[in-house]
Amino acid sequence: MNDLRCESYRFDGPLQGKVEQLVPGTWVILRTDENAATTSSRFGCELKHVFDQGFHSVYLAE
């Protein structure tokens, strides 16, 4: 997707398990109808919007 490389990923969901923390440099993919401020608050970091791709928005945790 837009030439991004990803060696590993985590899905944050009830069946797959919750992501505990986001370290700086983590790519965060949210549905376009999800509130990035809620995710930012949950993990105590800033999310910088990078681009939109269809039904998803991509952010970088800082």
Side-chain angles (χ1 to χ4, degrees):
M1 180 167 75
N2 284 356
D3 296 322
L4 296 177
R5 293 183 55 222
C6 181
E7 285 73 33
S8 64
Y9 65 92
R10 301 265 328 263
F11 182 83
D12 184 52
L15 299 178
Q16 297 80 8
K18 293 285 185 184
V19 172
E20 296 297 323
Q21 66 179 0
L22 294 177
V23 296
T26 300
W27 293 98
V28 178
I29 302 171
L30 302 175
R31 292 187 324 264
T32 53
D33 64 349
E34 288 183 285
N35 187 332
T38 301
T39 301
S40 180
S41 177
R42 173 182 167 195
F43 291 104
C45 65
E46 294 296 320
L47 295 181
K48 177 182 173 188
H49 182 260
V50 180
F51 63 89
D52 293 320
Q53 181 74 34
F55 296 108
H56 296 95
S57 295
V58 179
Y59 299 86
L60 189 61
E62 297 183 331

